[in-house]
Amino acid sequence: MAARGLPLYVATLLTGLLECVGFAGVLFGWTSLVFVFKTEHYFENLCEPQAGPLGNDTGVDEGCKAQDARFSLIFTLASFMNNFMTFPAGYVFDRFKTTVARLIAIFLYTSATLIIAFTTADSAPLLFLAMPMLTVGGILFLITNLQIGNLFGKHRSTIITLYNGAFDSSSAVFLIIKLLHGLDIKLMHSFIFISICSIWHVARTFLLMPRGHIPYPLPPSYSYGLCARDSPTMTEKQIAEQKCRELQSKEFLPSKEEISGPAQQQGSGSFWSYALSWRFAWHLMWLSVIQLWHYLFIGILNSMLTRLARNTELVSTYTDAFAITQFFGILCAPWNGLLMDLLKQKYQRDAKKTGTSDASVALCSTVPSLALTSLLCLGFAICASVRSLPLQYVTFVLQVISRSFLYGGNAAFLTLAFPSEHFGKLFGLVMALSAIVSLLQFPIFTLIEGPLQSNPDYVNVVLVLAILLTFIHPFRVYRECRAQRKAPSTAL
């Protein structure tokens, strides 16, 4: 890292963290925003046939299932877009580069916040448009910021996981909006302020971000933004040269020859050979099941707390507690990457004695992370299934740790288990397919509120059993690692 570029790199890093914490993943603070929307009587007209006798003295209408269903549907669509649009958003970033991708993100994000700002109870259906736009804009903010890790060499993985943690922590923004609303600051004013912050996003785009992509490894005297000295032609040439070296860099990803499986004998296989492999299929199942439970929990949390607390003040207190725990996602995320880095170093020392390939070592380092993520989610699901209000504090802690491990572990596994040239496509594919699975959250919510008469016990049992199946994935990867120690090639 060039010393003269260090202040610029640090400024980019810190402002990027601020951007991700303040804007990128605000959707996952949905529970806090729903509380505000209910206070402002959004979709309350759906409750009119059930109002009156079904309401209680605390002001909480336990019979308003139609209102909860509408909010659940909005979150389902927005969370679906959060994953499904990762693939096209990544394509936009790859094809049109940083500046264009960020300008699209700013347009979507600003439009969404302005729509929410001027939405009232009468125009509440506009949330079906605004929340997906907000989500896609946030994803583009995250994607364009992840490349900042390339500026810091060997600390690249730590920075990337830190940004993913910042994405998780941004859900606390809606808690701030909820607290301000309690101080009589209107929802419109809060979202207008967020819209005005787009000026800062634009300034950062042109002053502290590259027009193209940040290469890895970093070329000497690399500069960008306001401090850029090289001509665009020279910069692109340097980036192209670095990309060639990137594929051969063992610090970044395993080379083609080191990938385990049949491709090891005849070079790297085709994209479809990996996309249709058992290794990818089980990883997709692992991600989809755990993610579905997380999305379902966030989507139904407000209605669940309403049933358990039966008191508006208690619902508000637990909603705040959930949002506060989300903020600590930025502290939880790097531990997963650190765990894999330490295990990889240990296995590399052992590999020198046994002659195990670097790719096998990298794959083995993912097993504890995969298993620990499943274990955390299992504990989270069991606690959430128990009808005990105080126990939900434990649920909130396990949820934020589990989610932080989930997405970092997903990206790390795809990085280490498949060839580098297929990473982008496989990452986009697994996120898109898992997004389709996440759509099940709304039918599940409808099942709970309808035929099951607000009794989620049967659904919880089925989902806990499904989470138990996710342990098959780390077990299969462990068996592959053992097989690779005995034989040079193992089927995917």
Side-chain angles (χ1 to χ4, degrees):
M1 186 191 307
R4 66 178 181 178
L6 183 57
L8 173 64
Y9 298 168
V10 172
T12 301
L13 170 66
L14 295 179
T15 55
L17 280 175
L18 180 60
E19 186 170 78
C20 286
V21 168
F23 304 92
V26 293
L27 170 70
F28 298 102
W30 177 247
T31 305
S32 298
L33 196 60
V34 166
F35 187 90
V36 177
F37 285 150
K38 285 187 173 182
T39 304
E40 294 290 328
H41 311 295
Y42 283 47
F43 299 116
E44 197 172 84
N45 60 304
L46 300 174
C47 307
E48 288 177 359
Q50 300 172 350
L54 293 180
N56 56 26
D57 295 334
T58 63
V60 177
D61 184 5
E62 297 180 66
C64 195
K65 296 179 182 179
Q67 183 187 35
D68 287 335
R70 193 60 55 91
F71 285 124
S72 177
L73 182 57
I74 292 172
F75 180 78
T76 298
L77 294 175
S79 58
F80 168 78
M81 295 294 285
N82 179 71
N83 280 9
F84 190 80
M85 290 302 293
T86 300
F87 184 69
Y91 174 80
V92 168
F93 175 59
D94 288 343
R95 176 68 178 83
F96 301 103
K97 304 181 182 177
T98 302
T99 299
V100 173
R102 286 184 59 82
L103 291 177
I104 293 174
I106 294 167
F107 171 76
L108 291 173
Y109 206 93
T110 307
S111 300
T113 52
L114 286 174
I115 290 173
I116 297 173
F118 292 100
T119 296
T120 64
D122 294 331
S123 57
L126 286 174
L127 294 175
F128 282 97
L129 172 65
M131 295 310 299
M133 290 175 64
L134 191 74
T135 301
V136 177
I139 279 292
L140 277 167
F141 280 143
L142 176 64
I143 289 174
T144 57
N145 278 306
L146 287 178
Q147 61 180 326
I148 293 172
N150 295 348
L151 297 172
F152 295 89
K154 62 181 180 180
H155 303 294
R156 178 177 180 272
S157 297
T158 303
I159 301 257
I160 289 174
T161 54
L162 190 63
Y163 272 108
N164 278 283
F167 179 86
D168 291 340
S169 296
S170 64
S171 55
V173 170
F174 284 166
L175 168 63
I176 297 173
I177 292 176
K178 175 181 176 294
L179 295 176
L180 291 175
H181 187 267
L183 298 174
D184 294 328
I185 296 177
K186 293 183 179 179
L187 189 67
M188 179 178 70
H189 296 157
S190 295
F191 276 95
I192 287 177
F193 174 79
I194 295 176
S195 302
I196 294 172
C197 288
S198 295
I199 298 172
W200 179 72
H201 296 312
V202 173
R204 186 169 178 271
T205 298
F206 291 103
L207 301 181
L208 289 174
M209 293 295 286
R211 282 177 289 177
H213 298 136
I214 299 175
Y216 182 86
L218 210 61
S221 303
Y222 176 72
S223 60
Y224 54 88
L226 184 65
C227 300
R229 302 178 185 85
D230 296 326
S231 66
T233 303
M234 179 61 70
T235 301
E236 294 300 324
K237 182 178 179 181
Q238 289 178 344
I239 292 173
E241 291 173 354
Q242 292 303 320
K243 282 186 176 180
C244 293
R245 278 186 282 171
E246 176 183 340
L247 295 177
Q248 302 302 323
S249 173
K250 291 184 180 180
E251 287 185 24
F252 180 39
L253 293 173
S255 62
K256 291 190 230 179
E257 292 78 7
E258 291 174 326
I259 299 300
S260 59
Q264 191 177 19
Q265 298 176 350
Q266 301 294 333
S268 178
S270 67
F271 162 71
W272 287 110
S273 69
Y274 294 105
L276 298 177
S277 67
W278 280 110
R279 182 186 296 178
F280 182 82
W282 279 107
H283 184 68
L284 173 62
M285 184 277 295
W286 176 85
L287 174 65
S288 299
V289 170
I290 296 177
Q291 181 177 257
L292 174 62
W293 175 250
H294 278 277
Y295 282 179
L296 179 65
F297 178 76
I298 295 173
I300 69 172
L301 180 58
N302 182 269
S303 57
M304 183 187 80
L305 291 176
T306 300
R307 286 194 297 268
L308 291 177
R310 299 176 180 272
N311 181 286
T312 303
E313 291 184 2
L314 268 180
V315 172
S316 178
T317 299
Y318 276 86
T319 300
D320 293 349
F322 174 72
I324 290 171
T325 58
Q326 299 306 294
F327 180 75
F328 291 97
I330 193 172
L331 302 179
C332 301
W335 290 102
N336 194 20
L338 181 62
L339 171 65
M340 285 187 285
D341 286 341
L342 292 175
L343 287 172
K344 186 176 179 181
Q345 293 172 13
K346 177 183 180 298
Y347 293 149
Q348 282 175 335
R349 290 193 296 269
D350 296 339
K352 293 179 180 178
K353 304 174 184 177
T354 61
T356 308
S357 69
D358 288 345
S360 178
V361 167
L363 185 63
C364 292
S365 68
T366 66
V367 174
S369 173
L370 296 172
L372 183 57
T373 303
S374 294
L375 184 62
L376 286 167
C377 187
L378 179 63
F380 155 51
I382 292 174
C383 290
S385 302
V386 178
R387 297 185 185 182
S388 169
L389 201 56
L391 186 61
Q392 299 315 305
Y393 288 120
V394 179
T395 303
F396 299 161
V397 173
L398 290 175
Q399 188 271 340
V400 70
I401 299 174
S402 173
R403 199 179 82 179
S404 296
F405 273 56
L406 176 64
Y407 292 108
N410 170 50
F413 179 80
L414 293 173
T415 296
L416 298 172
F418 300 98
S420 60
E421 63 266 35
H422 298 313
F423 170 76
K425 295 185 288 293
L426 290 172
F427 182 78
L429 180 62
V430 77
M431 295 303 286
L433 293 177
S434 67
I436 295 174
V437 176
S438 73
L439 289 174
L440 291 173
Q441 61 185 292
F442 185 69
I444 292 174
F445 174 85
T446 304
L447 176 65
I448 293 173
E449 296 297 330
L452 297 181
Q453 299 180 347
S454 301
N455 182 2
D457 291 345
Y458 295 108
V459 171
N460 289 340
V461 169
V462 172
L463 288 176
V464 167
L465 293 175
I467 291 170
L468 286 173
L469 293 178
T470 65
F471 284 94
I472 296 175
H473 181 40
F475 177 71
R476 288 192 80 258
V477 175
Y478 172 73
R479 288 189 61 187
E480 283 188 51
C481 292
R482 289 193 60 184
Q484 287 174 17
R485 293 192 186 109
K486 300 176 181 178
S489 62
T490 304
L492 292 179

